[in-house]
Coordinates of all heavy atoms in Angstrom, one line a residue:
M96 N 131.5 91.5 143.7 CA 131.2 90.5 144.7 C 130.8 89.2 144.0 O 130.3 89.2 142.9 CB 130.1 90.9 145.6 CG 128.7 90.5 145.2 SD 127.3 91.0 146.2 CE 126.1 89.9 145.5
G97 N 131.0 88.1 144.8 CA 130.5 86.8 144.3 C 131.4 86.2 143.2 O 130.9 85.4 142.4
S98 N 132.7 86.6 143.1 CA 133.6 86.1 142.1 C 134.6 85.2 142.8 O 134.8 85.3 144.0 CB 134.2 87.2 141.4 OG 135.0 87.9 142.1
V99 N 135.2 84.3 142.0 CA 136.1 83.4 142.5 C 137.4 83.4 141.6 O 137.4 83.9 140.4 CB 135.6 81.9 142.5 CG1 134.6 81.7 143.5 CG2 135.2 81.5 141.1
Q100 N 138.6 83.0 142.2 CA 139.8 83.0 141.4 C 139.8 81.7 140.6 O 139.5 80.6 141.0 CB 141.0 83.0 142.4 CG 141.3 84.4 142.9 CD 142.7 84.4 143.5 OE1 143.2 83.4 143.9 NE2 143.2 85.6 143.5
I101 N 140.3 81.9 139.4 CA 140.6 80.7 138.5 C 142.0 80.7 138.0 O 142.5 81.8 137.7 CB 139.7 80.8 137.2 CG1 138.2 80.8 137.7 CG2 139.9 79.6 136.3 CD1 137.3 81.2 136.5
Q102 N 142.6 79.6 138.0 CA 144.0 79.6 137.5 C 144.0 78.9 136.2 O 143.5 77.7 136.1 CB 145.0 78.9 138.6 CG 146.4 79.1 138.2 CD 147.4 78.8 139.3 OE1 147.0 78.1 140.3 NE2 148.6 79.2 139.1
C103 N 144.6 79.4 135.2 CA 144.6 78.9 133.9 C 145.5 77.5 134.0 O 146.6 77.5 134.5 CB 145.3 79.8 132.9 SG 145.5 79.1 131.3
T104 N 145.0 76.4 133.3 CA 145.7 75.2 133.4 C 146.9 75.2 132.4 O 147.7 74.3 132.5 CB 144.7 74.1 133.0 OG1 144.2 74.3 131.7 CG2 143.6 73.9 133.9
R105 N 147.0 76.1 131.5 CA 148.1 76.2 130.6 C 149.2 77.2 131.0 O 150.3 76.9 131.2 CB 147.6 76.5 129.2 CG 148.5 76.4 128.1 CD 148.2 77.4 127.0 NE 148.4 76.8 125.7 CZ 148.0 77.5 124.6 NH1 147.4 78.5 124.7 NH2 148.3 77.0 123.5
C106 N 148.8 78.4 131.2 CA 149.7 79.5 131.4 C 149.9 79.9 132.9 O 150.7 80.7 133.3 CB 149.5 80.7 130.6 SG 148.1 81.7 131.1
K107 N 149.1 79.3 133.7 CA 149.1 79.5 135.2 C 148.6 81.0 135.6 O 148.8 81.3 136.7 CB 150.5 79.2 135.8 CG 151.1 77.9 135.3 CD 150.4 76.7 135.9 CE 151.1 75.4 135.7 NZ 151.0 74.9 134.3
N108 N 148.2 81.7 134.7 CA 147.7 83.1 135.0 C 146.4 82.9 135.9 O 145.6 82.0 135.7 CB 147.3 83.8 133.7 CG 146.6 85.1 133.9 OD1 147.3 85.9 134.6 ND2 145.5 85.3 133.4
V109 N 146.3 83.8 136.8 CA 145.1 83.7 137.7 C 144.2 85.0 137.3 O 144.6 86.0 137.2 CB 145.6 83.9 139.2 CG1 144.4 84.0 140.1 CG2 146.5 82.8 139.6
F110 N 142.9 84.6 137.2 CA 142.0 85.6 136.9 C 140.7 85.3 137.6 O 140.6 84.3 138.4 CB 141.7 85.7 135.4 CG 141.3 84.4 134.7 CD1 139.9 84.2 134.5 CD2 142.2 83.5 134.4 CE1 139.5 83.0 133.9 CE2 141.8 82.3 133.8 CZ 140.5 82.1 133.5
R111 N 139.6 86.2 137.5 CA 138.4 86.0 138.3 C 137.2 85.9 137.4 O 137.2 86.4 136.3 CB 138.2 87.1 139.3 CG 139.3 87.3 140.3 CD 139.0 88.4 141.3 NE 138.1 87.9 142.3 CZ 138.5 87.3 143.4 NH1 139.7 87.1 143.6 NH2 137.5 86.9 144.2
D112 N 136.2 85.1 137.9 CA 135.0 85.1 137.1 C 133.9 84.9 138.1 O 134.1 84.6 139.3 CB 135.0 83.9 136.2 CG 133.9 84.1 135.1 OD1 133.1 84.9 135.1 OD2 134.0 83.2 134.2
R113 N 132.6 85.2 137.7 CA 131.5 85.2 138.6 C 131.2 83.6 139.1 O 131.1 82.7 138.3 CB 130.2 85.6 137.9 CG 130.3 87.1 137.5 CD 129.9 88.0 138.5 NE 128.7 87.7 139.1 CZ 127.5 88.1 138.6 NH1 127.5 88.8 137.5 NH2 126.4 87.8 139.1
A114 N 131.0 83.5 140.4 CA 130.7 82.2 140.9 C 129.4 81.6 140.4 O 129.3 80.4 140.2 CB 130.6 82.3 142.4
A115 N 128.4 82.5 140.1 CA 127.2 82.0 139.5 C 127.3 81.3 138.1 O 126.5 80.5 137.8 CB 126.2 83.2 139.4
R116 N 128.4 81.7 137.4 CA 128.6 81.1 136.1 C 129.4 79.9 136.1 O 129.3 79.0 135.3 CB 129.4 82.1 135.2 CG 128.7 83.3 134.8 CD 129.4 84.1 133.9 NE 128.9 85.4 133.6 CZ 129.7 86.4 133.4 NH1 131.1 86.3 133.4 NH2 129.1 87.6 133.2
L117 N 130.2 79.6 137.1 CA 131.1 78.6 137.3 C 130.5 77.3 137.7 O 130.7 76.9 138.8 CB 132.3 79.0 138.3 CG 133.6 79.3 137.6 CD1 134.5 79.8 138.7 CD2 134.2 78.2 136.9
Q118 N 129.7 76.7 136.8 CA 129.1 75.5 137.1 C 129.4 74.4 136.1 O 130.0 74.7 135.1 CB 127.5 75.8 137.1 CG 127.1 77.0 138.0 CD 125.7 76.9 138.5 OE1 125.2 75.9 138.8 NE2 125.1 78.1 138.4
D119 N 128.9 73.2 136.4 CA 129.3 72.1 135.5 C 128.8 72.4 134.0 O 127.7 72.8 133.7 CB 128.5 70.9 136.0 CG 128.9 69.6 135.3 OD1 130.2 69.5 135.0 OD2 128.1 68.7 135.1
G120 N 129.8 72.3 133.1 CA 129.5 72.5 131.7 C 130.0 73.9 131.2 O 129.9 74.2 130.0
Y121 N 130.3 74.8 132.1 CA 130.7 76.1 131.7 C 132.2 76.0 131.1 O 133.0 75.2 131.4 CB 130.8 76.9 133.0 CG 131.2 78.4 132.8 CD1 130.5 79.2 132.0 CD2 132.4 78.9 133.5 CE1 130.9 80.6 131.8 CE2 132.8 80.2 133.3 CZ 132.1 81.0 132.5 OH 132.5 82.4 132.3
S122 N 132.4 76.9 130.2 CA 133.7 77.1 129.6 C 134.1 78.6 129.4 O 133.1 79.3 129.1 CB 133.9 76.3 128.3 OG 133.0 76.9 127.3
R123 N 135.3 79.0 129.5 CA 135.7 80.3 129.1 C 137.1 80.4 128.8 O 137.9 79.5 129.1 CB 135.4 81.2 130.3 CG 136.3 81.1 131.5 CD 136.4 82.4 132.3 NE 137.1 83.3 131.5 CZ 137.1 84.7 131.7 NH1 136.4 85.1 132.7 NH2 137.8 85.5 131.0
Q124 N 137.4 81.4 128.0 CA 138.8 81.6 127.5 C 139.7 82.3 128.6 O 139.3 83.2 129.3 CB 138.8 82.5 126.4 CG 139.0 81.8 125.1 CD 139.2 82.8 123.9 OE1 138.7 83.9 124.0 NE2 139.9 82.3 123.0
C125 N 140.9 81.9 128.8 CA 141.9 82.6 129.7 C 142.2 83.9 129.0 O 142.5 84.0 127.8 CB 143.1 81.7 129.7 SG 144.5 82.6 130.4
P126 N 142.1 85.0 129.8 CA 142.4 86.3 129.2 C 143.9 86.5 128.8 O 144.2 87.5 128.1 CB 142.0 87.2 130.3 CG 142.0 86.5 131.6 CD 141.8 85.0 131.2
S127 N 144.7 85.6 129.3 CA 146.1 85.8 129.0 C 146.6 85.0 127.8 O 147.1 85.5 126.8 CB 146.9 85.4 130.3 OG 148.3 85.4 130.0
C128 N 146.4 83.6 127.8 CA 146.8 82.8 126.7 C 145.7 82.4 125.7 O 146.0 81.7 124.7 CB 147.6 81.6 127.2 SG 146.5 80.3 127.9
E129 N 144.5 82.7 126.1 CA 143.3 82.4 125.3 C 143.0 81.0 125.1 O 142.2 80.6 124.2 CB 143.5 83.2 123.9 CG 143.6 84.6 124.1 CD 143.4 85.4 122.7 OE1 143.7 84.8 121.7 OE2 143.1 86.6 122.9
V130 N 143.6 80.1 125.8 CA 143.1 78.7 125.8 C 141.7 78.6 126.5 O 141.4 79.4 127.3 CB 144.1 77.8 126.6 CG1 144.0 78.0 128.1 CG2 143.9 76.3 126.3
V131 N 140.9 77.7 125.9 CA 139.5 77.6 126.5 C 139.5 76.6 127.6 O 140.0 75.5 127.5 CB 138.5 77.1 125.4 CG1 137.1 76.9 126.0 CG2 138.5 78.2 124.3
L132 N 139.1 77.1 128.8 CA 139.1 76.2 130.0 C 137.7 75.7 130.1 O 136.7 76.4 130.1 CB 139.4 77.0 131.2 CG 140.8 77.7 131.2 CD1 140.9 78.6 132.4 CD2 141.9 76.6 131.2
F133 N 137.5 74.3 130.4 CA 136.3 73.7 130.6 C 136.1 73.3 132.1 O 137.0 72.7 132.7 CB 136.2 72.4 129.7 CG 136.1 72.7 128.2 CD1 137.3 72.7 127.5 CD2 134.9 73.1 127.7 CE1 137.3 72.9 126.1 CE2 134.9 73.4 126.3 CZ 136.1 73.3 125.5
F134 N 134.9 73.7 132.5 CA 134.6 73.4 134.0 C 133.6 72.4 134.1 O 132.4 72.4 133.7 CB 134.2 74.7 134.7 CG 135.2 75.7 134.7 CD1 135.3 76.6 133.6 CD2 136.2 75.8 135.6 CE1 136.3 77.6 133.5 CE2 137.2 76.7 135.6 CZ 137.3 77.7 134.5
A135 N 134.0 71.1 134.6 CA 133.1 70.0 134.7 C 133.3 69.5 136.2 O 134.4 69.5 136.7 CB 133.4 68.9 133.7
E136 N 132.2 68.9 136.7 CA 132.2 68.4 138.0 C 133.2 67.2 138.2 O 133.7 67.0 139.2 CB 130.8 68.0 138.5 CG 129.8 69.1 138.7 CD 130.1 70.0 139.9 OE1 131.1 69.7 140.7 OE2 129.4 71.0 140.1
D137 N 133.4 66.6 137.0 CA 134.2 65.4 137.1 C 135.7 65.6 136.5 O 136.4 64.7 136.2 CB 133.7 64.2 136.4 CG 133.3 64.5 134.9 OD1 133.5 65.6 134.6 OD2 132.9 63.6 134.2
S138 N 136.0 66.9 136.5 CA 137.4 67.3 136.0 C 138.4 66.7 136.9 O 138.2 66.7 138.1 CB 137.5 68.8 135.9 OG 138.8 69.1 135.7
Q139 N 139.5 66.3 136.4 CA 140.6 65.7 137.1 C 141.7 66.8 137.4 O 142.6 66.5 138.1 CB 141.3 64.5 136.4 CG 140.3 63.3 136.2 CD 139.7 62.8 137.5 OE1 140.5 62.5 138.4 NE2 138.4 62.8 137.7
H140 N 141.5 68.0 136.8 CA 142.5 68.9 137.0 C 142.4 69.7 138.2 O 141.3 70.2 138.6 CB 142.6 69.9 135.8 CG 143.9 70.7 135.6 ND1 144.3 71.6 136.5 CD2 144.9 70.5 134.7 CE1 145.5 72.0 136.2 NE2 145.9 71.4 135.2
P141 N 143.5 69.7 139.1 CA 143.4 70.4 140.3 C 143.0 71.9 140.3 O 142.2 72.3 141.2 CB 144.8 70.3 141.0 CG 145.7 69.8 139.9 CD 144.8 69.1 138.9
F142 N 143.4 72.6 139.3 CA 143.0 74.0 139.2 C 141.5 74.1 139.0 O 140.9 75.0 139.5 CB 143.7 74.7 138.0 CG 145.2 74.8 138.2 CD1 146.0 75.3 137.2 CD2 145.8 74.4 139.4 CE1 147.4 75.4 137.3 CE2 147.2 74.6 139.6 CZ 148.0 75.0 138.5
V143 N 141.0 73.3 138.1 CA 139.6 73.4 137.7 C 138.7 72.9 138.9 O 137.7 73.5 139.3 CB 139.2 72.4 136.5 CG1 137.7 72.3 136.3 CG2 139.9 73.0 135.3
K144 N 139.2 71.8 139.6 CA 138.5 71.4 140.8 C 138.5 72.5 141.8 O 137.4 72.6 142.4 CB 139.2 70.1 141.4 CG 138.9 68.8 140.6 CD 140.0 67.8 140.9 CE 139.6 66.7 141.8 NZ 140.4 65.6 141.8
R145 N 139.5 73.1 142.0 CA 139.7 74.1 143.1 C 138.7 75.3 142.8 O 138.0 75.7 143.6 CB 141.1 74.6 143.2 CG 141.2 75.6 144.4 CD 142.7 75.8 144.7 NE 143.3 76.4 143.5 CZ 144.6 76.4 143.2 NH1 145.5 75.9 144.1 NH2 145.1 77.0 142.1
A146 N 138.7 75.7 141.6 CA 137.8 76.8 141.1 C 136.4 76.5 141.3 O 135.6 77.2 141.8 CB 138.1 77.3 139.7
M147 N 136.0 75.2 140.9 CA 134.6 74.8 141.1 C 134.2 74.7 142.6 O 133.1 75.0 142.9 CB 134.3 73.5 140.3 CG 134.5 73.8 138.9 SD 133.8 72.5 137.8 CE 132.0 72.9 138.1
R148 N 135.2 74.2 143.4 CA 134.8 74.0 144.8 C 134.6 75.4 145.4 O 133.8 75.7 146.1 CB 136.0 73.4 145.5 CG 135.7 72.8 146.8 CD 136.7 71.8 147.3 NE 138.0 72.3 147.3 CZ 139.0 71.7 146.6 NH1 138.9 70.6 146.1 NH2 140.2 72.2 146.7
N149 N 135.5 76.4 145.0 CA 135.4 77.8 145.6 C 134.1 78.4 145.1 O 133.4 79.1 145.9 CB 136.6 78.6 145.1 CG 137.8 78.2 145.8 OD1 137.8 77.7 146.8 ND2 139.0 78.6 145.3
A150 N 133.7 78.1 143.8 CA 132.4 78.7 143.3 C 131.2 78.2 144.0 O 130.3 78.9 144.4 CB 132.3 78.4 141.8
R151 N 131.2 76.8 144.3 CA 130.1 76.2 145.1 C 130.0 76.9 146.5 O 129.0 77.2 147.0 CB 130.4 74.7 145.3 CG 129.6 73.9 144.3 CD 129.5 72.5 144.7 NE 130.7 71.9 145.1 CZ 131.5 71.3 144.2 NH1 131.2 71.3 142.9 NH2 132.7 70.8 144.6
K152 N 131.2 77.1 147.1 CA 131.2 77.8 148.4 C 130.7 79.1 148.4 O 129.8 79.5 149.3 CB 132.7 77.7 148.9 CG 132.9 78.2 150.3 CD 134.3 77.8 150.8 CE 134.8 78.7 151.8 NZ 135.6 79.8 151.1
V153 N 131.1 79.9 147.4 CA 130.6 81.3 147.3 C 129.1 81.3 147.0 O 128.4 82.1 147.7 CB 131.3 82.0 146.1 CG1 130.6 83.4 145.9 CG2 132.8 82.2 146.6
R154 N 128.6 80.4 146.2 CA 127.1 80.4 145.9 C 126.4 80.0 147.1 O 125.3 80.6 147.4 CB 126.8 79.4 144.7 CG 127.3 79.9 143.4 CD 126.6 79.1 142.3 NE 126.8 77.7 142.3 CZ 127.8 77.2 141.8 NH1 128.6 77.8 141.0 NH2 127.9 75.8 141.9
K155 N 126.9 79.1 147.9 CA 126.3 78.7 149.2 C 126.2 79.9 150.1 O 125.2 80.1 150.7 CB 127.0 77.5 149.7 CG 126.5 77.1 151.1 CD 127.1 75.6 151.4 CE 126.5 75.1 152.7 NZ 127.3 75.7 153.9
E156 N 127.4 80.6 150.2 CA 127.4 81.7 151.2 C 126.4 82.8 150.7 O 125.7 83.5 151.5 CB 128.8 82.3 151.3 CG 129.7 81.4 152.0 CD 131.2 81.8 151.8 OE1 131.5 82.7 151.1 OE2 132.1 81.2 152.5
Q157 N 126.3 83.0 149.4 CA 125.3 84.0 148.9 C 123.9 83.6 149.1 O 123.1 84.5 149.5 CB 125.6 84.2 147.4 CG 126.8 85.0 147.0 CD 127.0 85.2 145.5 OE1 126.6 84.3 144.7 NE2 127.5 86.4 145.1
R158 N 123.6 82.3 149.0 CA 122.3 81.9 149.3 C 121.9 82.1 150.8 O 120.9 82.5 151.1 CB 122.1 80.4 149.0 CG 121.7 80.1 147.5 CD 121.1 78.8 147.4 NE 122.1 77.7 147.9 CZ 123.0 77.2 147.1 NH1 123.1 77.5 145.8 NH2 123.8 76.3 147.6
E159 N 122.9 81.8 151.6 CA 122.6 82.0 153.1 C 122.5 83.4 153.4 O 121.6 83.8 154.2 CB 123.8 81.3 153.9 CG 123.8 79.8 153.8 CD 125.0 79.1 154.3 OE1 126.0 79.8 154.7 OE2 125.0 77.9 154.4
A160 N 123.3 84.2 152.9 CA 123.3 85.7 153.1 C 122.0 86.2 152.7 O 121.3 87.0 153.3 CB 124.4 86.5 152.4
E161 N 121.5 85.7 151.5 CA 120.1 86.2 151.0 C 119.0 85.7 151.9 O 118.1 86.4 152.1 CB 120.0 85.6 149.6 CG 118.7 86.0 148.9 CD 118.7 87.4 148.5 OE1 119.8 88.0 148.4 OE2 117.6 88.0 148.2
A162 N 119.1 84.5 152.4 CA 118.1 84.0 153.3 C 118.0 84.8 154.6 O 117.0 85.2 155.1 CB 118.4 82.6 153.6
V163 N 119.2 85.2 155.1 CA 119.2 86.0 156.3 C 118.6 87.4 156.0 O 117.8 87.9 156.8 CB 120.7 86.1 156.8 CG1 120.8 87.3 157.9 CG2 121.2 84.9 157.3
R164 N 118.9 88.0 154.9 CA 118.4 89.2 154.5 C 116.8 89.2 154.4 O 116.1 90.1 154.9 CB 118.9 89.8 153.2 CG 119.2 91.2 153.1 CD 119.8 91.6 151.8 NE 121.0 90.8 151.5 CZ 121.3 90.4 150.3 NH1 120.6 90.8 149.3 NH2 122.3 89.6 150.0
R165 N 116.3 88.1 153.8 CA 114.9 88.0 153.7 C 114.2 87.8 155.0 O 113.1 88.2 155.2 CB 114.5 86.8 152.8 CG 114.7 87.2 151.3 CD 114.3 86.1 150.5 NE 114.8 86.3 149.1 CZ 114.8 85.3 148.2 NH1 114.5 84.1 148.4 NH2 115.1 85.7 147.0
A166 N 114.9 87.0 156.0 CA 114.3 86.7 157.2 C 114.3 87.9 158.1 O 113.5 88.0 159.1 CB 115.0 85.5 157.8
A167 N 115.3 88.8 157.9 CA 115.4 90.0 158.8 C 114.3 90.9 158.7 O 113.8 91.2 157.6 CB 116.7 90.7 158.5
P168 N 113.7 91.3 159.8 CA 112.6 92.2 159.8 C 113.0 93.6 159.3 O 114.1 94.1 159.7 CB 112.2 92.3 161.3 CG 113.4 91.9 162.1 CD 114.1 91.0 161.2
E169 N 112.3 94.2 158.4 CA 112.6 95.5 157.8 C 111.7 96.6 158.5 O 110.6 96.2 158.8 CB 112.4 95.5 156.3 CG 113.5 94.6 155.7 CD 113.2 94.6 154.2 OE1 112.8 95.6 153.6 OE2 113.5 93.5 153.6
P170 N 112.1 97.7 158.5 CA 111.3 98.8 159.0 C 110.2 99.2 158.0 O 110.4 100.3 157.3 CB 112.3 100.0 159.3 CG 113.4 99.7 158.3 CD 113.5 98.1 158.1
R171 N 109.2 98.4 157.9 CA 108.2 98.6 156.8 C 107.4 99.8 157.0 O 106.9 100.4 156.1 CB 107.3 97.3 156.7 CG 108.0 96.2 156.1 CD 107.1 94.9 156.2 NE 107.9 93.8 156.0 CZ 108.2 93.4 154.8 NH1 107.9 94.0 153.8 NH2 108.9 92.2 154.5
L172 N 107.1 100.1 158.2 CA 106.1 101.1 158.5 C 106.5 102.5 157.8 O 105.7 103.2 157.3 CB 105.9 101.2 160.0 CG 105.0 100.1 160.6 CD1 104.9 100.3 162.1 CD2 103.6 100.1 159.9
A173 N 107.8 102.8 158.0 CA 108.2 104.1 157.6 C 108.6 104.1 156.1 O 108.4 105.2 155.5 CB 109.4 104.5 158.4
Q174 N 109.0 103.0 155.6 CA 109.6 103.1 154.2 C 108.9 102.3 153.1 O 109.3 102.4 152.0 CB 111.1 102.4 154.4 CG 112.0 103.4 155.1 CD 113.4 102.8 155.1 OE1 113.7 101.8 154.5 NE2 114.3 103.5 155.8
S175 N 107.9 101.6 153.4 CA 107.3 100.7 152.4 C 106.8 101.4 151.2 O 106.9 100.9 150.1 CB 106.1 99.9 153.0 OG 105.2 100.8 153.5
R176 N 106.4 102.7 151.4 CA 105.8 103.3 150.1 C 106.9 103.8 149.1 O 106.7 104.0 148.0 CB 105.0 104.5 150.6 CG 103.6 104.2 151.0 CD 102.8 105.2 151.5 NE 101.7 104.6 152.3 CZ 101.1 105.2 153.3 NH1 101.5 106.4 153.7 NH2 100.2 104.7 153.9
S177 N 108.1 103.9 149.7 CA 109.2 104.3 148.7 C 110.0 103.2 148.2 O 111.0 103.4 147.5 CB 110.1 105.4 149.4 OG 110.7 104.8 150.5
F178 N 109.6 101.9 148.6 CA 110.4 100.8 148.0 C 109.7 99.9 147.1 O 109.8 98.7 147.2 CB 110.9 100.0 149.3 CG 112.2 100.5 149.8 CD1 112.3 101.7 150.6 CD2 113.4 99.7 149.7 CE1 113.4 102.1 151.1 CE2 114.5 100.2 150.2 CZ 114.6 101.4 150.9
T179 N 109.0 100.4 146.2 CA 108.1 99.6 145.4 C 108.8 98.6 144.4 O 108.4 97.6 144.1 CB 107.1 100.4 144.6 OG1 107.7 101.5 144.1 CG2 106.0 100.9 145.6
G180 N 110.0 99.1 143.9 CA 110.7 98.4 142.8 C 111.8 97.5 143.3 O 112.6 97.1 142.4
R181 N 111.9 97.1 144.5 CA 113.1 96.6 145.0 C 113.3 95.1 144.7 O 114.4 94.6 144.9 CB 113.2 96.9 146.5 CG 112.2 96.2 147.3 CD 112.2 96.7 148.7 NE 113.3 96.1 149.5 CZ 113.2 94.9 150.0 NH1 112.2 94.1 149.9 NH2 114.2 94.3 150.6
T182 N 112.4 94.4 144.3 CA 112.5 92.9 144.1 C 112.9 92.5 142.7 O 113.0 91.4 142.4 CB 111.3 92.2 144.5 OG1 110.2 92.7 143.7 CG2 111.0 92.3 146.0
Q183 N 113.1 93.5 141.8 CA 113.2 93.2 140.3 C 114.4 92.4 139.9 O 114.3 91.5 139.1 CB 113.0 94.3 139.5 CG 114.1 95.4 139.7 CD 113.7 96.8 139.0 OE1 112.7 96.8 138.4 NE2 114.6 97.7 139.2
S184 N 115.6 92.7 140.5 CA 116.8 92.0 140.0 C 117.3 91.0 141.0 O 118.5 90.6 141.0 CB 117.9 93.0 139.7 OG 118.2 93.7 140.9
A185 N 116.4 90.4 141.7 CA 116.9 89.5 142.8 C 117.5 88.2 142.4 O 118.7 87.9 142.6 CB 115.8 89.2 143.8
E186 N 116.8 87.4 141.6 CA 117.3 86.0 141.4 C 117.4 85.6 139.9 O 116.6 84.9 139.4 CB 116.3 85.0 142.0 CG 116.1 85.2 143.5 CD 115.0 84.2 144.0 OE1 113.9 84.4 143.7 OE2 115.5 83.2 144.6
R187 N 118.4 86.1 139.3 CA 118.5 85.8 137.8 C 119.4 84.7 137.5 O 119.0 83.8 136.9 CB 119.0 87.1 137.1 CG 117.8 88.0 136.8 CD 118.4 89.3 136.1 NE 119.6 89.8 136.9 CZ 120.3 90.7 136.5 NH1 120.3 91.2 135.4 NH2 121.2 91.2 137.3
E188 N 120.6 84.7 138.1 CA 121.5 83.6 137.9 C 121.4 82.5 139.0 O 120.8 82.8 140.0 CB 122.9 84.1 137.7 CG 123.0 85.1 136.5 CD 124.5 85.7 136.5 OE1 124.8 86.3 137.5 OE2 125.1 85.5 135.5
D189 N 121.9 81.4 138.7 CA 122.1 80.3 139.7 C 120.9 79.4 139.6 O 119.9 79.2 139.4 CB 122.2 80.8 141.1 CG 122.9 79.8 142.0 OD1 123.4 78.8 141.5 OD2 122.9 80.1 143.2
Ligands
ZN160 ZN1 146.2 80.9 130.2

């Protein structure tokens, strides 16, 4: 979950990466032709622009989903004693 499609600017291969990583200054290799793709907010390349726009959208949706989950009332009375370790991996990236 939380991944976006990226199209290689050289070989046009389509692959996926985590939306949380796809931010300004990120770079990664194409798994097909091994060219290094650079992701910058001011990139002029349409493939890079599209991938970054999609990543922003996915991150926004994830933040909103997380906010909804936190705001939703949970059945604490019955389950609170067995859920002690549930917050540990919540907000690492982004
Ligand atoms: Zn490639």
Side-chain angles (χ1 to χ4, degrees):
M96 93 178 194
S98 65
V99 291
Q100 280 196 339
I101 300 165
Q102 189 165 18
C103 176
T104 58
R105 187 210 220 174
C106 72
K107 315 288 192 285
N108 177 53
V109 176
F110 55 99
R111 298 185 78 86
D112 203 351
R113 299 275 307 276
R116 291 187 190 146
L117 253 176
Q118 307 200 43
D119 193 32
Y121 179 63
S122 65
R123 68 151 295 163
Q124 259 190 330
C125 168
S127 176
C128 73
E129 300 191 338
V130 72
V131 177
L132 302 172
F133 292 98
F134 297 91
E136 293 290 356
D137 59 355
S138 171
Q139 297 302 305
H140 200 291
F142 293 174
V143 173
K144 280 162 108 165
R145 189 170 56 199
M147 294 198 73
R148 195 165 55 232
N149 288 341
R151 262 200 305 277
K152 183 162 150 276
V153 169
R154 287 199 301 271
K155 180 166 177 281
E156 286 167 359
Q157 284 182 323
R158 274 200 303 275
E159 286 169 357
E161 182 70 18
V163 168
R164 216 177 313 142
R165 280 182 192 165
E169 290 178 38
R171 289 174 192 280
L172 287 176
Q174 291 185 2
S175 58
R176 278 177 199 152
S177 59
F178 271 73
T179 46
R181 64 189 282 280
T182 56
Q183 59 189 1
S184 62
E186 305 177 282
R187 276 176 307 168
E188 298 175 303
D189 207 5

